[in-house]
Amino acid sequence: MRAAGGRSRRGRPWPADLPPAAGAAVLAPAVISAGLELLGHEELSLAFLAVACALYLVLAYDFAVRLVRDRGRFRAEAYTPAALTAVAATTVLGCRLSLMGRQAAAAALLALAALLWPGLLIAVERHLKRRMPGGAFLVCVATQGLAVLSAMLADAWRLDWLARAALAAFCLGLLLYAQALARFDLREVLKGAGDHWVAGGALAISALAGSRLTASPVWTGAPHAALRWTTLVLLALSLAWYALLLGAELRAWRPRYDIRRWATVFPLGMTAAACISAAGATGVAGLRELGAVLLWIAVAAWLLTCAALAAAGLRRRPGGPAAGRPLSGRPGSGRPTRH
């Protein structure tokens, strides 16, 4: 993707050639950082947070360059589900800052995400088709990201209206998940390039949103009980997806690097974080231990994906054994596609 002199082959300054799917590279370390914080591993959590913040700044620069210098490409990419990683990454990073007590910074990120969300969601919804890849579930992930961050800020600042807004986003996210599931190409489970894991990750972030709403003092009695059981059902379904997708990976091993593999790491980390959060909110203490195990699996997956990226980069060096091959192992798969 990069030519000599730090410029892309299309003449744009690097990293302005990154596809929208690169947003998942922010989501992965951000959610792992949040999980580590919930388990009390503060120093390691801060290290992952630093990686997430650095990548977020790189992608924000990339977003701005395309918006100012290449409106045609910006509009074309806004139609793809991967564009919603901008919203999802902003909300997940905001959640991590909220855990640190940086509520003002988290609120600023919530405002930014809420500003981006409607336009991108409408653009994506208008171009969804049948037999979509796993990225289609990002309509749910982005919406539930707003729900989680809103619920966290509502709890921190005792804002009942924001808790109700979080509940509305939570319900809308579930409807969007059902729509995405109806359009999902189930063949992706065995043939997907990595983003098929978002099918389970979207339920995991929905369960996380549900756990935050369940823990809110705004809901008591029957509404609280309904939220608790909904959270547990969503978490059980996300774990079922986890088992199914893991089994499919073992059956049809796909070791070559693809940028969409970051969308595999994110659901692994989100499932772990959802288990840890739900343990306290629902009173099922064993979920915390399960979440801890799943979190270390996510950390290992992140390290393996980093190693695969480094190996792919070495193969692409001039004169290397695989010079000229695409990073993904699929011709052109590192570039955005229109659906």
Side-chain angles (χ1 to χ4, degrees):
M1 294 175 64
R2 185 178 175 185
R7 300 185 71 84
S8 72
R9 286 195 287 263
R10 296 180 183 180
R12 299 185 184 93
W14 184 86
D17 248 358
L18 290 174
V26 178
L27 284 166
V31 74
I32 289 174
S33 174
L36 289 168
E37 174 67 20
L38 291 172
L39 289 178
H41 301 289
E42 186 174 355
E43 292 183 359
L44 188 56
S45 173
L46 290 175
F48 273 95
L49 176 61
V51 173
C53 288
L55 291 174
Y56 185 82
L57 292 175
V58 169
L59 293 175
Y61 167 78
D62 175 49
F63 185 92
V65 167
R66 281 179 288 164
L67 178 62
V68 173
R69 300 185 182 181
D70 196 343
R71 295 288 183 88
R73 184 187 174 196
F74 179 85
R75 286 191 293 268
E77 292 179 344
Y79 299 144
T80 66
L84 285 166
T85 58
V87 177
T90 300
T91 57
V92 173
L93 191 58
C95 291
R96 178 62 187 89
L97 293 176
S98 180
L99 286 174
M100 296 176 66
R102 305 294 178 89
Q103 309 303 345
L109 289 177
L110 175 61
L112 176 59
L115 182 65
L116 294 173
W117 174 73
L120 290 175
L121 181 65
I122 291 171
V124 170
E125 283 287 321
R126 287 177 175 175
H127 292 80
L128 286 178
K129 298 181 180 180
R130 297 182 61 187
R131 294 187 176 180
M132 295 288 291
F137 291 98
L138 285 166
V139 296
C140 171
V141 172
T143 306
Q144 296 293 15
L146 290 171
V148 176
L149 183 51
S150 296
M152 293 179 71
L153 289 172
D155 184 56
W157 286 340
R158 300 293 188 268
L159 298 174
D160 290 359
W161 67 267
L162 190 55
R164 295 187 178 92
L167 178 62
F170 173 68
C171 294
L172 176 59
L174 295 181
L175 292 175
L176 291 171
Y177 183 88
Q179 174 201 244
L181 182 61
R183 297 176 181 271
F184 179 53
D185 185 354
L186 289 174
R187 294 173 298 183
E188 290 286 305
V189 172
L190 288 174
K191 299 180 179 179
D195 59 349
H196 56 293
W197 276 82
V198 185
L203 283 177
I205 194 173
S206 298
L208 178 60
S211 72
R212 288 292 175 178
L213 289 167
T214 301
S216 171
V218 174
W219 318 110
T220 58
H224 176 270
L227 283 169
R228 179 179 180 274
W229 282 108
T230 300
T231 298
L232 289 172
V233 169
L234 290 171
L235 189 57
L237 290 173
S238 70
L239 289 170
W241 265 114
Y242 192 113
L244 173 64
L245 293 168
L246 181 60
E249 291 283 353
L250 296 175
R251 178 181 176 183
W253 183 242
R254 288 151 277 184
R256 302 185 74 173
Y257 176 75
D258 188 296
I259 196 168
R260 287 165 288 186
R261 269 304 176 190
W262 298 110
T264 297
V265 182
F266 161 65
L268 294 175
M270 183 55 70
T271 305
C275 287
I276 297 167
S277 179
T282 65
V284 183
L287 288 174
R288 183 177 177 86
E289 286 70 28
L290 175 60
V293 173
L294 296 180
L295 184 62
W296 292 116
I297 293 174
V299 170
W302 185 83
L303 292 172
L304 286 172
T305 306
C306 288
L309 171 60
L314 289 174
R315 287 196 298 268
R316 284 178 56 84
R317 292 178 61 182
R325 294 182 186 174
L327 288 181
S328 64
R330 291 186 180 184
S333 63
R335 297 179 182 176
T337 56
R338 296 185 64 174
H339 299 290

Coordinates of all heavy atoms in Angstrom, one line a residue, residues 97-162:
L97 N -12.2 5.5 28.4 CA -11.8 6.7 29.1 C -12.8 6.9 30.3 O -12.4 7.4 31.3 CB -11.9 7.9 28.2 CG -10.8 7.9 27.1 CD1 -11.1 9.1 26.1 CD2 -9.4 8.0 27.7
S98 N -14.1 6.5 30.1 CA -15.0 6.7 31.2 C -14.6 5.8 32.4 O -14.8 6.2 33.5 CB -16.4 6.3 30.7 OG -17.4 6.4 31.7
L99 N -14.1 4.6 32.1 CA -13.6 3.7 33.2 C -12.5 4.4 34.0 O -12.3 4.1 35.1 CB -13.1 2.4 32.6 CG -14.2 1.4 32.1 CD1 -13.6 0.2 31.4 CD2 -15.1 1.0 33.3
M100 N -11.7 5.2 33.3 CA -10.6 5.9 34.0 C -11.1 7.2 34.8 O -10.3 7.8 35.4 CB -9.6 6.4 32.9 CG -8.9 5.3 32.2 SD -7.8 6.0 30.9 CE -6.6 6.8 31.9
G101 N -12.4 7.5 34.6 CA -12.9 8.7 35.3 C -12.8 9.9 34.5 O -13.2 11.0 34.9
R102 N -12.4 9.8 33.2 CA -12.3 10.9 32.3 C -13.7 11.1 31.6 O -13.8 10.9 30.4 CB -11.2 10.7 31.3 CG -9.8 10.4 31.9 CD -9.3 11.6 32.6 NE -8.0 11.3 33.3 CZ -6.9 11.5 32.7 NH1 -6.8 11.9 31.4 NH2 -5.7 11.3 33.3
Q103 N -14.7 11.5 32.4 CA -16.0 11.6 31.8 C -16.2 12.7 30.8 O -17.0 12.6 29.8 CB -17.0 11.8 33.0 CG -16.9 10.8 34.1 CD -17.0 9.4 33.7 OE1 -17.4 9.0 32.6 NE2 -16.5 8.5 34.6
A104 N -15.5 13.8 31.0 CA -15.6 14.9 30.0 C -15.1 14.5 28.6 O -15.7 14.7 27.6 CB -14.9 16.2 30.5
A105 N -13.9 13.8 28.6 CA -13.4 13.3 27.4 C -14.3 12.3 26.8 O -14.5 12.2 25.5 CB -12.0 12.7 27.6
A106 N -14.9 11.4 27.6 CA -15.8 10.4 27.1 C -17.0 11.0 26.5 O -17.5 10.5 25.5 CB -16.2 9.4 28.3
A107 N -17.5 12.1 27.1 CA -18.7 12.7 26.6 C -18.4 13.4 25.3 O -19.3 13.4 24.4 CB -19.2 13.8 27.6
A108 N -17.2 13.9 25.1 CA -16.8 14.5 23.8 C -16.8 13.5 22.7 O -17.3 13.7 21.6 CB -15.5 15.2 23.9
L109 N -16.3 12.3 23.1 CA -16.3 11.2 22.1 C -17.7 10.7 21.8 O -18.1 10.3 20.7 CB -15.4 10.1 22.6 CG -13.9 10.3 22.6 CD1 -13.2 9.1 23.1 CD2 -13.4 10.7 21.2
L110 N -18.6 10.7 22.8 CA -20.0 10.3 22.6 C -20.7 11.3 21.6 O -21.4 10.9 20.7 CB -20.7 10.3 23.9 CG -22.3 10.0 23.8 CD1 -22.5 8.7 23.2 CD2 -22.9 10.1 25.2
A111 N -20.4 12.6 21.8 CA -21.0 13.6 20.9 C -20.5 13.5 19.5 O -21.3 13.6 18.6 CB -20.6 15.0 21.5
L112 N -19.2 13.2 19.4 CA -18.6 12.9 18.0 C -19.3 11.7 17.4 O -19.7 11.8 16.2 CB -17.1 12.8 18.1 CG -16.4 12.4 16.8 CD1 -16.6 13.5 15.8 CD2 -14.9 12.3 17.1
A113 N -19.4 10.6 18.1 CA -20.0 9.4 17.6 C -21.4 9.6 17.2 O -21.9 9.2 16.1 CB -19.9 8.3 18.6
A114 N -22.2 10.4 18.1 CA -23.6 10.6 17.8 C -23.7 11.5 16.5 O -24.7 11.4 15.8 CB -24.2 11.3 19.0
L115 N -22.7 12.4 16.3 CA -22.8 13.2 15.1 C -22.5 12.4 13.8 O -23.2 12.6 12.8 CB -21.7 14.3 15.2 CG -21.6 15.3 14.1 CD1 -22.9 16.1 14.0 CD2 -20.4 16.2 14.3
L116 N -21.6 11.4 13.9 CA -21.3 10.6 12.7 C -22.3 9.5 12.4 O -22.5 9.2 11.3 CB -19.9 9.9 12.9 CG -18.7 10.8 13.0 CD1 -17.5 10.0 13.4 CD2 -18.4 11.5 11.7
W117 N -22.9 9.0 13.5 CA -23.8 7.8 13.4 C -24.9 7.9 12.4 O -25.1 7.0 11.6 CB -24.2 7.4 14.8 CG -25.2 6.3 14.8 CD1 -25.0 5.0 14.6 CD2 -26.6 6.4 15.1 NE1 -26.1 4.2 14.8 CE2 -27.1 5.1 15.1 CE3 -27.5 7.5 15.4 CZ2 -28.5 4.8 15.3 CZ3 -28.8 7.2 15.7 CH2 -29.3 5.9 15.6
P118 N -25.8 9.0 12.5 CA -27.0 8.9 11.6 C -26.7 8.9 10.1 O -27.2 8.1 9.4 CB -27.7 10.2 12.0 CG -27.1 10.6 13.3 CD -25.7 10.2 13.3
G119 N -25.8 9.8 9.7 CA -25.4 9.8 8.3 C -24.8 8.5 7.7 O -25.2 8.0 6.7
L120 N -23.9 8.0 8.5 CA -23.3 6.7 8.1 C -24.2 5.6 8.1 O -24.3 4.7 7.2 CB -22.0 6.4 9.0 CG -20.8 7.4 8.8 CD1 -19.8 7.0 9.8 CD2 -20.3 7.2 7.4
L121 N -25.1 5.5 9.2 CA -26.0 4.4 9.3 C -27.0 4.4 8.1 O -27.3 3.4 7.5 CB -26.8 4.5 10.6 CG -27.8 3.4 10.8 CD1 -27.1 2.0 10.9 CD2 -28.6 3.7 12.1
I122 N -27.5 5.6 7.8 CA -28.5 5.7 6.7 C -27.8 5.4 5.4 O -28.4 4.6 4.5 CB -29.1 7.2 6.6 CG1 -30.0 7.4 7.8 CG2 -29.9 7.4 5.3 CD1 -30.4 8.9 8.0
A123 N -26.6 5.8 5.1 CA -25.9 5.5 3.9 C -25.7 4.0 3.8 O -25.9 3.4 2.7 CB -24.6 6.2 3.8
V124 N -25.3 3.4 4.9 CA -25.1 1.9 4.8 C -26.4 1.2 4.6 O -26.5 0.2 3.8 CB -24.4 1.5 6.1 CG1 -24.3 -0.1 6.2 CG2 -22.9 2.0 6.2
E125 N -27.4 1.6 5.4 CA -28.7 0.9 5.3 C -29.3 0.9 3.8 O -29.9 -0.1 3.4 CB -29.7 1.5 6.2 CG -29.5 1.2 7.7 CD -30.0 -0.3 7.9 OE1 -31.0 -0.7 7.4 OE2 -29.3 -0.9 8.7
R126 N -29.0 2.0 3.1 CA -29.6 2.1 1.8 C -28.8 1.2 0.8 O -29.4 1.0 -0.3 CB -29.4 3.6 1.3 CG -30.4 4.5 1.9 CD -30.2 6.0 1.5 NE -31.2 6.9 2.0 CZ -31.2 8.2 1.8 NH1 -30.2 8.7 1.2 NH2 -32.1 8.9 2.3
H127 N -27.7 0.7 1.2 CA -26.9 -0.1 0.2 C -26.7 -1.5 0.7 O -25.9 -2.3 0.1 CB -25.5 0.6 0.0 CG -25.7 1.8 -0.8 ND1 -26.0 3.0 -0.2 CD2 -25.5 2.1 -2.1 CE1 -26.0 4.0 -1.1 NE2 -25.7 3.4 -2.3
L128 N -27.4 -1.9 1.7 CA -27.3 -3.3 2.2 C -28.1 -4.2 1.2 O -29.1 -3.9 0.7 CB -28.0 -3.5 3.6 CG -27.2 -3.0 4.8 CD1 -28.0 -3.2 6.1 CD2 -25.8 -3.6 4.9
K129 N -27.5 -5.4 0.9 CA -28.0 -6.4 0.0 C -28.1 -7.7 0.7 O -27.8 -7.9 1.9 CB -27.2 -6.4 -1.3 CG -27.1 -5.1 -2.0 CD -26.3 -5.3 -3.3 CE -26.2 -4.0 -4.1 NZ -25.4 -4.1 -5.3
R130 N -28.6 -8.7 0.0 CA -28.6 -10.1 0.5 C -27.2 -10.7 0.4 O -26.3 -10.2 -0.3 CB -29.6 -10.9 -0.3 CG -31.0 -10.4 -0.3 CD -31.9 -11.4 -1.0 NE -31.9 -12.7 -0.5 CZ -32.5 -13.8 -1.1 NH1 -33.1 -13.6 -2.2 NH2 -32.4 -15.0 -0.6
R131 N -27.0 -11.7 1.3 CA -25.7 -12.4 1.3 C -24.5 -11.5 1.6 O -23.6 -11.4 0.9 CB -25.5 -13.2 0.0 CG -26.5 -14.3 -0.2 CD -26.1 -15.2 -1.3 NE -27.1 -16.3 -1.5 CZ -27.0 -17.2 -2.4 NH1 -26.0 -17.2 -3.3 NH2 -27.8 -18.2 -2.4
M132 N -24.6 -10.7 2.7 CA -23.6 -9.8 3.1 C -22.6 -10.5 3.9 O -22.9 -11.5 4.6 CB -24.2 -8.6 3.9 CG -25.2 -7.8 3.1 SD -24.3 -6.7 1.9 CE -23.5 -5.6 3.1
P133 N -21.3 -10.0 4.0 CA -20.3 -10.5 4.9 C -20.6 -10.1 6.3 O -21.6 -9.3 6.6 CB -19.0 -9.9 4.3 CG -19.5 -8.6 3.7 CD -20.8 -8.9 3.1
G134 N -19.7 -10.5 7.2 CA -20.0 -10.2 8.6 C -20.0 -8.7 9.0 O -20.5 -8.3 10.0
G135 N -19.4 -7.9 8.1 CA -19.4 -6.4 8.4 C -20.7 -5.8 8.4 O -20.9 -4.7 9.0
A136 N -21.8 -6.5 7.9 CA -23.1 -6.0 7.9 C -23.6 -5.8 9.4 O -24.4 -5.0 9.7 CB -24.1 -7.0 7.2
F137 N -23.0 -6.6 10.3 CA -23.4 -6.5 11.7 C -22.9 -5.2 12.4 O -23.3 -4.9 13.5 CB -23.0 -7.7 12.5 CG -23.7 -9.0 12.1 CD1 -23.1 -9.9 11.2 CD2 -24.9 -9.3 12.6 CE1 -23.8 -11.0 10.9 CE2 -25.6 -10.4 12.3 CZ -25.0 -11.3 11.4
L138 N -22.1 -4.5 11.7 CA -21.6 -3.2 12.3 C -22.7 -2.2 12.4 O -22.5 -1.2 13.2 CB -20.4 -2.6 11.4 CG -19.1 -3.4 11.5 CD1 -18.2 -3.0 10.4 CD2 -18.5 -3.1 12.8
V139 N -23.8 -2.3 11.8 CA -24.9 -1.4 12.0 C -25.4 -1.6 13.5 O -25.8 -0.6 14.1 CB -26.1 -1.7 11.0 CG1 -25.7 -1.3 9.6 CG2 -26.6 -3.1 11.1
C140 N -25.3 -2.8 14.0 CA -25.7 -3.1 15.4 C -24.5 -2.7 16.3 O -24.8 -2.0 17.3 CB -25.9 -4.6 15.5 SG -26.1 -5.1 17.3
V141 N -23.3 -3.0 15.9 CA -22.2 -2.7 16.8 C -22.1 -1.2 17.1 O -21.9 -0.7 18.2 CB -20.8 -3.2 16.2 CG1 -19.6 -2.7 17.0 CG2 -20.8 -4.7 16.1
A142 N -22.2 -0.4 16.0 CA -22.1 1.1 16.2 C -23.2 1.6 17.1 O -23.0 2.5 17.9 CB -22.1 1.8 14.8
T143 N -24.4 1.1 16.9 CA -25.5 1.6 17.7 C -25.4 1.2 19.1 O -25.7 1.9 20.0 CB -26.8 1.0 17.0 OG1 -26.9 1.4 15.7 CG2 -28.1 1.6 17.7
Q144 N -25.0 -0.1 19.3 CA -24.8 -0.5 20.7 C -23.7 0.2 21.4 O -23.6 0.3 22.6 CB -24.7 -2.1 20.8 CG -25.9 -2.9 20.3 CD -27.1 -2.7 21.2 OE1 -27.2 -1.9 22.1 NE2 -28.0 -3.6 21.0
G145 N -22.7 0.6 20.6 CA -21.6 1.3 21.2 C -22.1 2.6 21.8 O -21.7 3.1 22.9
L146 N -23.0 3.3 21.1 CA -23.7 4.5 21.6 C -24.4 4.2 22.9 O -24.4 4.9 23.9 CB -24.6 5.1 20.6 CG -24.0 5.7 19.4 CD1 -25.0 6.0 18.3 CD2 -23.2 7.0 19.7
A147 N -25.1 3.0 22.9 CA -25.9 2.6 24.1 C -25.0 2.4 25.3 O -25.3 2.9 26.4 CB -26.7 1.3 23.8
V148 N -23.9 1.7 25.1 CA -22.9 1.4 26.2 C -22.4 2.7 26.8 O -22.4 2.9 28.0 CB -21.8 0.5 25.8 CG1 -20.8 0.3 26.9 CG2 -22.3 -0.9 25.3
L149 N -21.8 3.6 25.9 CA -21.2 4.8 26.4 C -22.2 5.7 27.1 O -22.0 6.3 28.1 CB -20.5 5.5 25.3 CG -19.7 6.8 25.6 CD1 -18.8 6.5 26.8 CD2 -18.9 7.3 24.4
S150 N -23.4 5.8 26.5 CA -24.5 6.6 27.1 C -24.9 6.1 28.5 O -25.1 6.9 29.4 CB -25.7 6.6 26.2 OG -25.4 7.2 24.9
A151 N -25.0 4.8 28.6 CA -25.3 4.2 29.9 C -24.2 4.5 30.9 O -24.5 4.8 32.1 CB -25.6 2.7 29.8
M152 N -23.0 4.4 30.5 CA -21.9 4.6 31.4 C -21.9 6.1 31.9 O -21.7 6.4 33.1 CB -20.6 4.3 30.8 CG -20.4 2.8 30.5 SD -18.8 2.4 29.7 CE -17.7 2.6 31.1
L153 N -22.1 7.0 31.0 CA -22.1 8.4 31.4 C -23.3 8.8 32.2 O -23.3 9.6 33.1 CB -22.0 9.3 30.1 CG -20.7 9.3 29.4 CD1 -20.7 10.0 28.1 CD2 -19.6 9.9 30.3
A154 N -24.5 8.1 31.8 CA -25.7 8.4 32.6 C -25.5 8.0 34.1 O -26.0 8.6 35.0 CB -26.9 7.6 32.0
D155 N -24.8 6.8 34.3 CA -24.5 6.4 35.6 C -23.5 7.3 36.3 O -23.7 7.6 37.5 CB -24.0 4.9 35.6 CG -23.8 4.3 36.9 OD1 -24.8 4.3 37.7 OD2 -22.7 3.9 37.3
A156 N -22.5 7.7 35.6 CA -21.5 8.6 36.2 C -22.1 9.9 36.6 O -21.7 10.5 37.7 CB -20.3 8.8 35.3
W157 N -23.0 10.5 35.8 CA -23.5 11.8 36.1 C -24.9 11.9 36.6 O -25.5 12.9 36.7 CB -23.3 12.7 34.8 CG -21.9 13.1 34.5 CD1 -20.9 13.2 35.4 CD2 -21.4 13.5 33.3 NE1 -19.8 13.6 34.8 CE2 -20.0 13.9 33.5 CE3 -21.9 13.7 32.0 CZ2 -19.2 14.3 32.4 CZ3 -21.1 14.2 31.0 CH2 -19.8 14.5 31.2
R158 N -25.5 10.7 36.8 CA -26.9 10.6 37.3 C -27.8 11.3 36.4 O -28.7 12.1 36.8 CB -27.0 11.1 38.7 CG -26.1 10.4 39.7 CD -26.6 9.0 39.9 NE -25.9 8.3 41.0 CZ -24.8 7.6 40.9 NH1 -24.2 7.4 39.7 NH2 -24.2 7.0 41.9
L159 N -27.8 11.0 35.1 CA -28.6 11.6 34.1 C -29.7 10.6 33.6 O -29.4 9.7 32.8 CB -27.8 12.1 32.9 CG -26.8 13.2 33.2 CD1 -25.9 13.5 32.0 CD2 -27.4 14.5 33.7
D160 N -30.9 10.7 34.1 CA -31.9 9.7 33.8 C -32.3 9.7 32.3 O -32.5 8.7 31.7 CB -33.1 9.9 34.7 CG -32.9 9.5 36.1 OD1 -31.8 9.1 36.4 OD2 -33.9 9.7 36.9
W161 N -32.3 11.0 31.8 CA -32.7 11.1 30.3 C -31.6 10.4 29.4 O -32.0 9.8 28.4 CB -32.8 12.6 30.0 CG -31.5 13.3 30.0 CD1 -31.0 14.1 31.0 CD2 -30.5 13.4 28.9 NE1 -29.8 14.6 30.7 CE2 -29.5 14.3 29.4 CE3 -30.5 12.9 27.6 CZ2 -28.4 14.6 28.6 CZ3 -29.4 13.3 26.8 CH2 -28.3 14.1 27.3
L162 N -30.4 10.4 29.8 CA -29.4 9.8 29.0 C -29.5 8.2 29.2 O -29.2 7.5 28.2 CB -28.0 10.2 29.5 CG -26.8 9.8 28.6 CD1 -27.0 10.3 27.1 CD2 -25.5 10.4 29.1

